[in-house]
Amino acid sequence: MTDASASPNTATTGATTGATTGADALIIEVAKLLQRIGRSDLAERASIAAARLRRPSTVVCVVGEFKQGKSSLINALLGQPVCPVDDDLATSAITLVRWGEQPTAIVRRRAESGVAGDPPVIETIQVGDIHDWVSEVGNPGNAKRVDRVEIVVPSPLLKQGLVIVDTPGMGGLGAGHAAATLSFLPFADGLIFTSDASAELSAPEVEFLRRASELCPTVLFAQTKIDLYPNWQRIMDLNRGHFERAGFSPPMVAVSSALRTEALRRKDKTLNELSRIPELVKHLSDDVVGPAKASATSRSIADVLAIVGQVLAGLGAERGILTDPATAAEAVKALESAKGRLEFLRGPGAKWNLLVGDRVSDLSNNVNYRFRGATRNISRMMDERIEQLTKGDEWDELARYIQTVVADEVTQVFVDLEQGRHDIRAEVVDLLREEHLDLAELSPIGTGFDVTEMWQGKALEQDASGGKKAFTTTITSIRGAQGGIIMFGMLGTFLPTAAGVLIASNPVLLGIGAVFGGMGLADDRKRKIAARRQAARSQVRQFLDDVQFEMGNQIGNLIREIQRDLRDEFTERITELVRTYADTATRAQADAQASTVDRQKRGVELDASISALSTFEAALRSSASSKGAS
């Protein structure tokens, strides 16, 4: 992802592209060969693996307080005015920017009915009208019920799969937006935190970054607006000291979006370097996109190796029959028997299908039980804390606290669901191995957990210790599932519907802050304190009831998705095997009745295909080994 001197629109993937070109070309050639030998189904799957390798979806959040230059920085990175940046246009809704041939924008907002489960309203708008939907001026208080706006632009920076998420300003890092962002980070690839050079970071900002660094693989700090503040280096040093004292050291880049914009207008290489945006682009390339590409490469190679192995087995069986025609009848009988066994495995009564149903049901029960227990404990804990509150500023802290503890539990639900998906799949693979079907190397064909779904439900996060430790055992595998991202088939359908914008756009959640925040006490009269406490308890219970209601719906949707994805994945894989056995049996029967000349000709064709596939297999394994060593 090198940054062009005059325009990012000529940017390419520097170091990372070279690392994947070899595997990409090999997989494309494998797909062509599969097409030639009549396996269009497997050729399509190999083509999908190649596409995933070329453009693994990589999610980067841009976060910061209001008016810290988030949107300007995104525009500077992309080299075009995508996000509104006028002084009076504070971002009020989540904006996702991804690659596409033609500029367009899609608004997704909740149904007017407000009934859970009702489909969202989706509208296509002009990119120039985005400010009417994502700014406080155009959409005050999110009156239009916007969950998110997706912008598609033809930017080479995004073409390699990078998706940039512009988040609403976090308002002191105490509102729901900060909690939402933290809950999203376990499923994201990177975070850019912006703070301008007018002042050093506040304690809440440093704490937010410390917590973010534990949840996200890459956290970058961008100090913006250095063109406006001559003493920006001093502020940079102060911030570095804050990080060191907090025990972490994210990469720090001082940037000027204004200089970058002017450099692009003038096509001035020197001015572009002075903006320091190229340095930030390099960090994104090396620390975010590079690892995502490596993960996608490993998944794609593993998937294609499984395809090649399956086809080689079929071709090898046919070649063996050609070599010894006397065994043809017996071999065909064995193939038909294997095909019949596989046909049964495709049915609803197959043992693996029943296993999926049982395990998914267990997962649903366990996740729901744990979440209900957690919210019950939070309710009791909040009752105790409310009884201890007497001062006005303590109400504000209580609002922040309940958002963070609920965030932790909601995030854990999604972690548990994705880990459950992984465990069930592994158990099915083991079960099918007993049927002599080795599916261990197959990458899931389902989309897996969609990170962006976290922007559709209630997601928050807790303070430092316990919750994050609970995440560490599962986050790596989940983010890996995202590798080709997944994390969602984000290649085309970026963002379904599910869990997270709620926290950033749901007035229920944000309202809780207002309930407590307005409770400054003019005096300490006991009656007034008692009334405030009672109001707080009522609001907490209502808030938790709403969270449970929304999460019950989200858990149900995701459970059904998990079961459907697992069922479809293994059914499709078994179907591929059925076709392999059927094709081999059919060819073997035809070969047995063919003339000697035709059998010899077929033998030459088989030898050529087996040789080519074996060569590709060796090259892919070598590529995988070198990738692992690096």
Side-chain angles (χ1 to χ4, degrees):
M1 190 198 298
T2 56
D3 184 74
S5 60
S7 171
N9 296 330
T10 59
T12 59
T13 313
T16 56
T17 297
T20 60
T21 299
D24 184 12
L26 283 171
I27 293 174
I28 291 173
E29 291 304 314
V30 169
K32 291 178 180 178
L33 178 56
L34 291 170
Q35 196 74 48
R36 287 198 298 271
I37 64 177
R39 291 308 301 268
S40 57
D41 56 334
L42 296 178
E44 181 181 359
R45 193 168 134 210
S47 297
I48 291 172
R52 181 174 60 222
L53 187 153
R54 289 193 300 271
R55 194 184 301 157
S57 295
T58 309
V59 179
V60 174
C61 287
V62 183
V63 179
E65 297 278 15
F66 291 113
K67 299 303 179 184
Q68 295 299 302
K70 298 192 313 303
S71 300
S72 295
L73 179 61
I74 292 174
N75 291 343
L77 285 169
L78 299 179
Q80 49 190 302
V82 174
C83 301
V85 295
D86 292 351
D87 290 340
D88 60 345
L89 293 181
T91 303
S92 65
I94 292 165
T95 306
L96 300 113
V97 189
R98 57 184 175 88
W99 180 84
E101 292 284 358
Q102 297 296 327
T104 187
I106 299 172
V107 176
R108 295 174 183 261
R109 54 193 182 90
R110 295 187 301 281
E112 295 292 340
S113 65
V115 177
D118 281 1
V121 178
I122 301 175
E123 301 179 33
T124 300
I125 63 172
Q126 297 295 318
V127 174
D129 295 334
I130 291 171
H131 65 276
D132 292 334
W133 299 89
V134 302
S135 71
E136 280 295 338
V137 172
N139 182 22
N142 196 16
K144 298 178 181 178
R145 305 169 62 84
V146 176
D147 277 343
R148 63 185 179 275
V149 174
E150 301 172 33
I151 305 173
V152 176
V153 291
S155 166
L157 185 70
L158 304 176
K159 190 170 184 178
Q160 51 201 313
L162 186 65
V163 177
I164 297 179
V165 181
D166 185 13
T167 61
M170 292 188 290
L173 294 171
H177 301 310
T181 301
L182 284 169
S183 70
F184 176 86
L185 291 182
F187 306 93
D189 297 280
L191 167 74
I192 301 175
F193 188 92
T194 62
S195 179
D196 69 32
S198 64
E200 61 189 288
L201 291 169
S202 65
E205 287 176 310
V206 174
E207 175 60 13
F208 174 90
L209 279 165
R210 185 191 67 76
R211 292 162 60 189
S213 68
E214 297 179 1
L215 295 171
C216 187
T218 302
V219 174
L220 305 174
F221 174 72
Q223 183 163 293
T224 60
K225 304 182 183 180
I226 59 174
D227 54 299
L228 298 179
Y229 302 99
N231 294 326
W232 66 263
Q233 185 63 61
R234 175 176 170 275
I235 300 300
M236 194 79 159
D237 292 339
L238 289 172
N239 288 334
R240 185 175 289 107
H242 291 318
F243 294 147
E244 290 174 355
R245 285 187 291 276
F248 70 106
S249 55
M252 303 175 67
V253 183
V255 298
S256 169
S257 300
L259 288 180
R260 165 73 159 193
T261 301
E262 186 63 18
L264 297 178
R265 189 182 69 82
R266 298 183 184 180
K267 301 188 184 306
D268 188 325
K269 181 177 180 179
T270 301
L271 196 59
N272 188 50
E273 293 297 326
L274 287 174
S275 75
R276 300 186 176 224
I277 293 293
E279 184 180 348
L280 180 59
V281 171
K282 187 175 187 305
H283 274 297
L284 285 173
S285 173
D286 295 345
D287 301 332
V288 182
V289 176
K293 284 184 175 292
S295 175
T297 299
S298 298
R299 285 188 65 221
S300 295
I301 289 176
D303 205 6
V304 175
L305 281 172
I307 294 171
V308 170
Q310 177 182 329
V311 176
L312 278 174
L315 296 179
E318 184 185 351
R319 190 67 182 90
I321 294 171
L322 271 178
T323 303
D324 187 4
T327 64
E330 184 178 344
V332 169
K333 183 178 179 180
L335 288 169
E336 291 291 350
S337 175
K339 176 187 165 188
R341 193 171 72 252
L342 287 169
E343 288 284 9
F344 172 76
L345 289 176
R346 281 201 294 181
K351 192 174 180 180
W352 73 266
N353 217 330
L354 299 176
L355 175 68
V356 168
D358 290 344
R359 293 296 180 269
V360 167
S361 179
D362 292 342
L363 176 63
S364 176
N365 291 336
N366 292 338
V367 169
N368 274 295
Y369 178 79
R370 182 191 173 281
F371 185 68
R372 286 195 301 269
T375 54
R376 178 184 293 180
N377 290 337
I378 291 172
S379 179
R380 292 170 179 168
M381 176 185 61
M382 291 300 294
D383 281 345
E384 294 174 1
R385 294 194 61 159
I386 287 171
E387 286 302 314
Q388 300 170 5
L389 298 182
T390 58
K391 299 179 180 178
D393 55 0
E394 291 177 344
W395 299 105
D396 296 321
E397 178 59 31
L398 186 64
R400 287 191 289 269
Y401 182 74
I402 188 173
Q403 290 180 97
T404 56
V405 294
V406 170
D408 184 61
E409 297 301 337
V410 170
T411 305
Q412 190 65 53
V413 165
F414 293 103
V415 171
D416 289 346
L417 286 172
E418 185 58 26
Q419 185 62 41
R421 181 203 299 266
H422 175 81
D423 293 343
I424 294 169
R425 185 181 184 280
E427 193 171 350
V428 173
V429 168
D430 288 340
L431 179 63
L432 290 177
R433 192 174 289 123
E434 297 175 6
E435 298 287 341
H436 308 291
L437 300 178
D438 189 0
L439 304 180
E441 288 190 80
L442 294 180
S443 298
I445 63 171
T447 58
F449 186 81
D450 184 343
V451 55
T452 54
E453 293 181 357
M454 291 299 295
W455 291 112
Q456 293 290 79
K458 295 196 188 302
L460 307 126
E461 208 316 300
Q462 184 165 337
D463 60 83
S465 51
K468 274 179 277 307
K469 292 180 181 177
F471 296 149
T472 56
T473 59
T474 54
I475 289 307
T476 300
S477 64
I478 292 173
R479 194 175 290 115
Q482 158 204 341
I485 247 133
I486 55 184
M487 206 146 45
F488 28 51
M490 193 164 68
L491 294 169
T493 60
F494 185 75
L495 290 202
T497 54
V501 179
L502 244 61
I503 191 71
S505 59
N506 189 335
V508 171
L509 184 57
L510 298 184
I512 189 115
V515 169
F516 290 109
M519 288 185 173
L521 299 183
D523 55 56
D524 289 334
R525 287 181 295 180
K526 291 183 179 180
R527 182 175 58 80
K528 193 169 186 178
I529 293 176
R532 298 292 171 102
R533 286 174 175 166
Q534 183 58 38
R537 281 192 291 269
S538 176
Q539 289 295 327
V540 164
R541 292 192 182 97
Q542 183 62 53
F543 171 62
L544 293 176
D545 283 346
D546 290 339
V547 171
Q548 279 195 321
F549 179 78
E550 294 287 350
M551 283 303 298
N553 181 56
Q554 299 296 346
I555 291 171
N557 290 338
L558 285 172
I559 284 291
R560 287 188 291 274
E561 176 189 315
I562 288 171
Q563 184 166 8
R564 183 166 51 248
D565 285 348
L566 289 169
R567 180 197 63 210
D568 292 348
E569 174 189 356
F570 288 104
T571 298
E572 184 169 336
R573 293 297 174 263
I574 292 170
T575 299
E576 291 170 352
L577 289 170
V578 167
R579 178 172 174 180
T580 298
Y581 279 103
D583 287 357
T584 303
T586 300
R587 292 294 315 191
Q589 289 173 326
D591 293 342
Q593 299 173 9
S595 65
T596 301
V597 173
D598 288 339
R599 283 201 300 271
Q600 289 176 343
K601 181 180 178 182
R602 178 58 180 165
V604 172
E605 293 174 355
L606 286 173
D607 288 342
S609 296
I610 291 172
S611 175
L613 283 171
S614 297
T615 300
F616 287 137
E617 182 180 44
L620 286 168
R621 291 192 185 281
S622 176
S623 179
S625 298
S626 62
K627 179 63 67 174
S630 63

